[in-house]
Amino acid sequence: MGVGPSSEYPGKAFSPEELSVALAERFATKCFTPLELAHFKDNFFSRATDQGGMKYWNEKTLSDFLGIPDSSDADCPLDAGPVIFRMVSYLGAFPFQNTLAPSVLTFEAMVKVVVLLTERYGKVLRRASKDRIRLLFGSLADVGRKDVDRHPTPNKTVEEYGSGDSPVVKSHAMGFSIDEPANDSYEDDEDDDLALAALESLDAIEVFRHDSRIDKAVYEARISIATFRRLLMLLLVISPLESTQSVEIYTTDLSKDRMESVRKEADNLLAAFPQEKSGGISYVTFAKTISTSLPFIFDPLTPLFEHLLFSKNLDLSQKRSPDDPRAAASSSKEASETLLLPLPESVMLPGSFKSVILNPSIISHLSFFLPSTTSNQNLLRGNTRLHPVFSTAGHGTSLTSFSHNVLTWQSGTLLLLEGYISGSSRDQETPITIGAFLPQPWKSGTLTTHSTKPTEPSTLPCLFQLSRKHLVLQGNSSPSVQKPNMPTAYFSTHSGISIGCQIPPSSRTQQLRPSPLGAGSLTIDVGLETANFHVSPIGQNGVFLPPATGGPSDTSTTRTHIDIYNLEIWGLVPDPSTSTASEPGQSAAELQQARWEFEAREAERRRNLNLKAGAGDSAAESARWLLETAGLIGDSTGRPRQSA
């Protein structure tokens, strides 16, 4: 029985090459609009190389179109072109990576690449998982062959044939053996499901099973650190990229300081991936780290490859001949615009201070794992902006100033702390940057109510470390931790700042301090000078869960004492330029300003009270009674008035 699309070609056997083309055709018609497909074809065929009737893209064409720096450049701080070309050559062979990869970048191959990297395959592969981790690992990994005994291979094996009598056409390339790793103990077949769904849509499951019949004890797959670092540096640079923006906005004029910060963040991210003894990153480590602590790290690839769906040659609003002087003027204008690229829009809004911690590289790092407060997208793509709320550099280290600025902010916040680990020598001080994503307003020691925390993933808090090593402790969604004495963020003039701690009951005889609970916590003293960062590999009873990543050595509880250099609090607000006037209520900044104005009026009213008036002055007596009731002054005996 044949293994082709039975409803269209009954009884006919199809090779992997033919099925690959059929899948690309289905992707093209189902996953793109007619206009997108027209732009895609124009972009591809206007740049394709023609060799013997085959039109394809080479590495230089791909890098030039996407605007990715290539190693062929004389001075190239971001030589990610070869890495992207390698990934695309692997993905273009989907779902037959074992026999067809690396693929020639024909139009059909590029269609599959764009569909996979922009996650549009859900329109065709309805039963497939949305997880691309295994495919992306395969596109990056190197394969090393073990020295093991091999049995002689018969002249004809089942891999060389389909289920019919016709031999399957073998690719001229040896192919990536990424789906043939040894010691693959990670029980995750999600991307196998993706490939199976692709072949199932073509009634060609048997061909896929023959293609993927492998000996997992023979091969090992690892991503080299050098390869992954080059990709990470590119992702850090282009993370704010939008589909309609030129990549050159972010890749040109990279200064020495900018590249140094990019390399630093790339190394911090790499430190989150424990390396194998033989070197490199295994699939188990890669999949676990990406899925648990860097869920948005590959998001910049989506707008990057969506550039293929927008062609500058197709101006549907007007059709002009090449000899038209207006067309020449338009081309001249485009050339001048290319020379004067606009500056990227900052995610930080203007306010009472300028950040001494945040820079474009750190913001990109944050966008790899922090969600937007308004959607299930990352921090940059969810139209979230950072409003300056408090900074020790701008407001000082007074708890009164902290309370005035932070406790009046009725929205989510982002805390960032920069300092040095205590105990390190002055010549070799160890810098560290940690923070907390707090979607809910702060709680203070004077508050007695506590709202139930939501359990949606996009609104859960998290505690994280950016340097020296990327580390994320996700919020706990269990109802058992939603208690009044376990607020996510707590402030008190007696104990300072506590995040992820258990608050002790009030006592008249002694001042009890909040205590760490669960897998992670952060405490800051009343002088905002020192902090203690607590991380444990166990503990499900706290606000934060244990980190899911870590090597074999990360099995003990760590308490890091930090000398604080800078502390910043940023408010999480929607982008003002996209907010509509029809949205109900005031913004967080407007509510804070109204609160400040109310407090100023109250302070002025209290200053104007005439407490020295005679006993017969009813207004003064009423004012004194109000102050005594509030506990601000004592009664005639000097004792505070007790409320009934």
Side-chain angles (χ1 to χ4, degrees):
M1 181 180 293
V3 290
S6 58
S7 60
E8 299 178 13
Y9 307 100
K12 178 176 173 57
F14 287 84
S15 68
E17 287 87 347
E18 293 171 319
L19 289 169
S20 182
V21 171
L23 179 63
E25 292 175 350
R26 185 162 298 185
F27 276 163
T29 56
K30 299 292 186 181
C31 301
F32 303 125
T33 66
L35 182 59
E36 288 175 335
L37 190 57
H39 280 256
F40 195 166
K41 289 181 177 179
D42 181 76
N43 278 326
F44 181 85
F45 290 108
S46 63
R47 296 169 175 83
T49 300
D50 191 338
Q51 184 175 356
M54 174 185 288
K55 295 183 181 295
Y56 66 94
W57 277 18
N58 55 30
E59 179 181 329
K60 188 177 188 309
T61 303
L62 179 68
S63 298
D64 289 346
F65 176 80
L66 296 178
I68 300 173
D70 192 86
S71 59
S72 60
D73 297 338
D75 184 14
C76 183
L78 277 179
D79 56 342
V83 178
I84 295 296
F85 183 76
R86 173 197 180 120
M87 295 176 65
V88 170
S89 299
Y90 178 88
L91 297 175
F94 176 82
F96 298 105
Q97 300 93 306
N98 290 335
T99 53
L100 300 184
S103 65
V104 179
L105 298 187
T106 61
F107 178 72
E108 290 76 15
M110 289 300 295
V111 165
K112 290 186 289 182
V113 168
V114 174
V115 169
L116 291 172
L117 290 181
T118 60
E119 295 188 281
R120 294 175 176 233
Y121 46 77
K123 298 178 181 179
V124 174
L125 313 180
R126 300 188 184 278
R127 292 181 56 192
S129 167
K130 296 298 180 69
D131 193 357
R132 304 172 296 171
I133 292 179
R134 190 164 191 168
L135 279 174
L136 292 171
F137 178 83
S139 68
L140 291 167
D142 300 318
V143 178
R145 191 172 184 81
K146 287 183 175 179
D147 294 330
V148 296
D149 294 334
R150 300 199 64 198
H151 298 288
T153 303
N155 293 332
K156 292 183 179 180
T157 64
V158 70
E159 285 83 8
E160 294 175 341
Y161 291 91
S163 60
D165 296 330
S166 301
V168 175
V169 179
K170 298 289 288 183
S171 170
H172 67 280
M174 291 297 293
F176 291 101
S177 298
I178 190 57
D179 291 317
E180 307 175 2
N183 305 321
D184 191 355
S185 59
Y186 192 72
E187 298 294 335
D188 183 6
D189 292 326
E190 289 186 341
D191 285 294
D192 284 343
D193 291 341
L194 182 61
L196 282 169
L199 274 298
E200 189 177 59
S201 69
L202 299 173
D203 294 335
I205 294 296
E206 288 301 320
V207 174
F208 171 74
R209 287 174 179 168
H210 289 317
D211 180 77
S212 61
R213 187 170 296 172
I214 52 180
D215 181 7
K216 292 189 176 182
V218 176
Y219 292 93
E220 285 186 342
R222 300 288 183 266
I223 297 178
S224 73
I225 298 301
T227 297
F228 199 33
R229 179 184 285 109
R230 290 160 74 183
L231 178 62
L232 288 176
M233 291 175 65
L234 175 68
L235 296 175
L236 285 166
V237 169
I238 68 170
S239 63
L241 179 68
E242 298 178 4
S243 301
T244 56
Q245 284 183 323
S246 171
V247 180
E248 294 177 350
I249 295 176
Y250 303 97
T251 57
T252 56
D253 298 330
L254 292 173
S255 64
K256 181 179 179 181
D257 291 341
R258 171 75 165 119
M259 287 308 304
E260 183 62 30
S261 68
V262 170
R263 290 189 184 94
K264 177 182 177 182
E265 294 307 314
D267 289 339
N268 292 334
L269 289 166
L270 280 172
F273 295 83
Q275 297 185 39
E276 299 296 309
K277 293 181 179 179
S278 58
I281 302 169
S282 69
Y283 172 66
V284 175
T285 297
F286 182 83
K288 189 175 183 180
T289 304
I290 295 296
S291 60
T292 57
S293 67
L294 291 167
F296 306 121
I297 191 171
F298 293 113
D299 281 8
L301 295 178
T302 296
L304 178 65
F305 281 87
E306 282 182 344
H307 280 71
L308 282 159
L309 307 180
F310 301 94
S311 174
K312 295 181 180 179
N313 298 331
L314 298 182
D315 187 354
L316 301 182
S317 62
Q318 50 188 342
K319 295 184 179 294
R320 298 170 181 165
S321 65
D323 298 332
D324 192 331
R326 291 176 296 177
S330 177
S331 300
S332 176
K333 181 180 179 181
E334 289 181 2
S336 62
E337 289 177 350
T338 302
L339 295 176
L340 300 174
L341 295 172
L343 294 176
E345 182 181 358
S346 175
V347 71
M348 294 180 286
L349 299 176
S352 57
F353 66 89
K354 291 185 177 181
S355 179
V356 294
I357 299 178
L358 288 175
N359 58 45
S361 300
I362 292 180
I363 292 174
S364 296
H365 187 165
L366 292 171
S367 72
F368 290 166
F369 65 95
L370 290 185
S372 168
T373 55
T374 57
S375 64
N376 197 24
Q377 295 178 299
N378 71 47
L379 188 68
L380 293 177
R381 307 205 182 283
N383 290 324
T384 297
R385 294 294 180 264
L386 302 179
H387 179 88
V389 174
F390 174 81
S391 167
T392 53
H395 299 97
T397 58
S398 166
L399 284 185
T400 301
S401 178
F402 182 92
S403 173
H404 174 72
N405 289 279
V406 178
L407 297 187
T408 55
W409 181 264
Q410 297 302 305
S411 182
T413 54
L414 176 67
L415 179 147
L416 294 171
L417 184 153
E418 182 182 61
Y420 288 85
I421 298 177
S422 301
S424 56
S425 63
R426 185 171 297 275
D427 295 335
Q428 296 180 343
E429 291 183 324
T430 305
I432 185 172
T433 303
I434 58 178
F437 176 74
L438 309 169
Q440 304 301 319
W442 285 64
K443 305 296 178 184
S444 71
T446 59
L447 295 179
T448 58
T449 60
H450 180 73
S451 59
T452 301
K453 293 179 291 187
T455 58
E456 292 81 1
S458 61
T459 57
L460 286 175
C462 73
L463 191 62
F464 56 85
Q465 176 178 302
L466 298 180
S467 66
R468 307 155 291 167
K469 170 186 175 181
H470 173 83
L471 181 70
V472 176
L473 289 82
Q474 298 290 353
N476 192 349
S477 61
S478 173
S480 62
V481 302
Q482 299 176 11
K483 300 177 181 179
N485 66 335
M486 293 173 59
T488 303
Y490 178 83
F491 167 83
S492 170
T493 55
H494 300 291
S495 59
I497 299 170
S498 304
I499 297 176
C501 294
Q502 186 174 29
I503 309 304
S506 58
S507 173
R508 295 183 178 181
T509 59
Q510 57 182 338
Q511 292 290 342
L512 300 177
R513 304 179 66 84
S515 58
L517 181 67
S521 66
L522 173 66
T523 58
I524 302 174
D525 71 336
V526 294
L528 304 184
E529 296 177 345
T530 61
N532 285 286
F533 184 44
H534 165 265
V535 178
S536 174
I538 58 174
Q540 304 285 334
N541 59 336
V543 175
F544 301 105
L545 297 173
T549 60
S553 60
D554 299 334
T555 58
S556 59
T557 299
T558 60
R559 298 178 184 272
T560 306
H561 188 69
I562 304 169
D563 293 329
I564 300 175
Y565 276 32
N566 295 294
L567 174 67
E568 295 178 357
I569 307 291
W570 293 85
L572 304 173
V573 298
D575 185 356
S577 63
T578 60
S579 301
T580 61
S582 60
E583 292 181 355
Q586 294 177 298
S587 67
E590 292 172 338
L591 290 173
Q592 184 184 52
Q593 185 63 37
R595 178 76 176 270
W596 285 345
E597 292 174 356
F598 172 77
E599 291 179 350
R601 289 194 301 269
E602 285 297 297
E604 183 66 22
R605 186 178 67 84
R606 291 172 182 175
R607 281 195 296 268
N608 292 334
L609 289 177
N610 186 5
L611 300 181
K612 296 182 179 181
D617 193 332
S618 60
E621 288 297 319
S622 298
R624 174 177 287 277
W625 181 85
L626 287 173
L627 294 177
E628 291 174 356
T629 303
L632 299 178
I633 63 174
D635 58 14
S636 58
T637 63
R639 294 175 299 178
R641 179 183 293 271
Q642 300 294 327
S643 58

